[in-house]
Amino acid sequence: MTDFSDLLLDVARVRKDFPILEREVHGKPLVYLDNAATSQTPLSVIAVFDDYYRRFNSNIHRGLHTLADEATAAFEGAREIVRCFINAADSREVIFTRGTTEAINLVAGSWGRANLGPGDEVLISRLEHHSNIVPWQLLAADRGFTIKVIPVDERGVLDQEAYTELLSPRTRLVAVNHVSNAFGTINPIADMARLAHEQGALILVDGAQAIPHMTVDVQALGVDFYAFSGHKAYGPSGVGVLYGRAELLEAMPPWQGGGEMIRTVSLEVPSTFADIPHKFEAGTPAIAEVIALGQALNWISEIGLEHIGAWEARLLAHATEGVAAVDGLRVLGTSPDKAGVLSFVVEGAHAQDIGLLIDQLGVAIRTGHHCAQPLLTSFGVESTCRASFAAYNTPEEIDVFVESLQKVLSMLRG
Ligand code: 7TS
């Protein structure tokens, strides 16, 4: 039995912030273990929307009236919260996007389109989410560069020797995730960044699964670009962040054109563009969502990322121990350095069937390829079941999950 008593996270208090956790599903208390897809939202973040639309809903940056001023101050305040949260040197290095996917597409569409061509190589890994694969494939078809893939070993750990060998002066960019959504593997980003830079390459990190679980210091990691989403970090959907080093962002051409990103527009001579970060924020952004994302990061800081990380690690250990007793169950992703993600398959039972039946018992897990088809294919499976943990999950919920899984399997096996 895993001991949680030494940990400094008051889970009962944390749970009070999440009204959704009180609901029932099919007459059973909800056990929400799909946090890698989307985490739940605390009251203080929900309250941002009420406050914003009741008191100062207004378009930002271009108004002179009070509401526009207040909305702009809150929006730019959120940029400073993000800067501080990831320890960026300058808030101009924080660009708001719709999410991780859009952040990566921005780098591909702007930096990639301007800098990549025949003879160049982009290194990705077999652990990537489709959103860090497909933008590079689309661009490669257009620009004629080559994509190379860092392999994983049988634990789902990136092969660092192969990485070193794949790196060469032809490598222009390394694009890897910080934490794998499918297996939970934590990648040694600081080392990988150093090796990339030694070859003159840049490094883009997909941090969608890292931001809510571990301290991310973009300067200490030495990364050039870092992307994440609000909805996996106790924030709303429809908002995310691209961090980019100022000198890179300044040299990059605009991506989307429109209002907000211009300095002057002329029909006779070329238009000129705003300074960063506004150059990359065309059109009216998701204002309330950005402010709410700031609040979500504040909520994480109040609980303390070190406490959240330690709590989730213990939940993972408890769940791993629990499923070890399940007949025919195989865990995929056994990296020694792993975030709170438990992916597994069970002999003689389809992941889809498990997912549907366990939902009847109130337990929400994810089944499928988790948008990481190349990874799953290399492990000889099309889909897995995945339980993923957040600060509000409890050891008792893990026990319900394991018991429910046993019930479902005895139903499926007749
Ligand atoms: N990168 C990683 C590592 C992810 O886990 C996800 C979403 C994305 C990128 C895309 O983020 P978005 O916010 O732009 O959609 N991952 C998952 C998941 O594991 N299940 O549902 C979505």
Side-chain angles (χ1 to χ4, degrees):
M1 190 62 197
T2 323
D3 181 16
F4 284 71
S5 61
D6 59 316
L7 299 183
L8 294 174
L9 183 135
D10 182 351
V11 76
R13 217 221 90 198
V14 168
R15 287 178 74 83
K16 285 207 177 85
D17 285 347
F18 295 85
I20 203 169
L21 299 177
E22 286 160 25
R23 71 163 282 183
E24 295 194 339
V25 169
H26 303 298
K28 302 269 192 312
L30 168 68
V31 174
Y32 187 79
L33 300 177
D34 193 19
N35 297 289
T38 287
S39 54
Q40 296 304 342
T41 317
L43 283 167
S44 60
V45 174
I46 299 172
V48 167
F49 288 90
D50 191 66
D51 188 41
Y52 174 77
Y53 285 106
R54 276 179 198 273
R55 294 202 309 114
F56 59 104
N57 176 28
S58 177
N59 213 324
I60 53 168
H61 293 140
R62 44 197 126 157
L64 282 179
H65 59 79
T66 301
L67 266 55
D69 268 355
E70 289 177 8
T72 304
F75 185 91
E76 292 302 326
R79 201 187 303 277
E80 177 58 20
I81 294 171
V82 173
R83 184 204 67 73
C84 195
F85 195 82
I86 61 174
N87 194 33
D90 187 329
S91 63
R92 295 177 310 136
E93 299 179 314
V94 173
I95 295 164
F96 289 113
T97 66
R98 283 196 300 123
T100 307
T101 302
E102 190 175 77
I104 296 170
N105 276 278
L106 192 166
V107 177
S110 171
W111 180 86
R113 189 166 291 284
N115 288 286
L116 298 172
D120 292 334
E121 292 177 2
V122 169
L123 269 190
I124 62 171
S125 91
R126 191 164 278 280
L127 278 180
E128 298 315 305
H129 186 278
H130 295 165
S131 62
N132 201 19
I133 300 174
V134 182
W136 305 113
Q137 290 177 331
L138 291 173
L139 190 63
D142 204 32
R143 304 290 305 156
F145 61 88
T146 304
I147 297 172
K148 297 219 159 156
V149 182
I150 309 163
V152 290
D153 69 14
E154 69 292 344
R155 302 167 300 170
V157 173
L158 287 185
D159 181 340
Q160 293 297 322
E161 212 165 293
Y163 171 55
T164 313
E165 278 163 23
L166 283 165
L167 278 168
S168 80
R170 286 185 302 278
T171 314
R172 303 295 310 284
L173 178 76
V174 176
V176 288
N177 60 37
H178 198 164
V179 175
S180 152
N181 68 312
F183 285 5
T185 314
I186 301 173
N187 292 316
I189 293 301
D191 291 343
M192 294 183 76
R194 188 176 37 77
L195 290 166
H197 290 151
E198 276 171 19
Q199 296 290 339
L202 299 182
I203 183 162
L204 172 149
V205 177
D206 166 354
Q209 298 294 344
I211 281 287
H213 308 294
M214 63 183 70
T215 302
V216 170
D217 177 331
V218 290
Q219 295 187 78
L221 289 171
V223 295
D224 299 296
F225 299 106
Y226 197 96
F228 66 93
S229 299
H231 68 103
K232 297 181 196 293
Y234 309 101
S237 55
V239 64
V241 166
L242 173 69
Y243 158 81
R245 278 200 296 115
E247 64 179 273
L248 293 169
L249 294 176
E250 274 163 356
M252 280 159 55
W255 179 47
Q256 291 179 335
E260 288 290 313
M261 51 75 71
I262 50 87
R263 187 186 307 280
T264 60
V265 175
S266 164
L267 298 177
E268 285 73 37
V269 294
S271 299
T272 58
F273 305 113
D275 291 333
I276 61 167
H278 307 295
K279 181 168 76 175
F280 294 109
E281 292 179 352
T284 302
I287 301 167
E289 283 78 358
V290 163
I291 301 167
L293 170 59
Q295 179 51 45
L297 300 183
N298 280 344
W299 183 87
I300 293 176
S301 299
E302 278 161 29
I303 306 297
L305 257 179
E306 66 282 21
H307 301 313
I308 294 176
W311 183 260
E312 290 169 349
R314 207 66 64 85
L315 290 172
L316 176 68
H318 187 54
T320 306
E321 198 183 297
V323 300
V326 178
D327 239 13
L329 184 145
R330 174 163 72 106
V331 172
L332 285 94
T334 50
S335 168
D337 215 4
K338 199 176 151 178
V341 170
L342 187 69
S343 233
F344 60 90
V345 290
V346 188
E347 228 173 70
H350 283 293
Q352 197 90 358
D353 295 336
I354 296 173
L356 280 171
L357 286 173
I358 207 164
D359 175 63
Q360 294 295 317
L361 303 175
V363 181
I365 60 169
R366 184 141 297 235
T367 57
H369 54 57
H370 317 298
C371 296
Q373 277 183 328
L375 177 65
L376 265 58
T377 307
S378 70
F379 278 74
V381 296
E382 277 176 17
S383 60
T384 74
C385 295
R386 182 189 69 183
S388 52
F389 313 120
Y392 42 70
N393 289 127
T394 64
E396 292 77 24
E397 286 184 313
I398 305 287
D399 296 339
V400 171
F401 154 65
V402 175
E403 283 158 26
S404 305
L405 180 63
Q406 294 278 26
K407 277 187 209 155
V408 163
L409 290 174
S410 57
M411 279 161 72
L412 284 172
R413 286 165 172 165

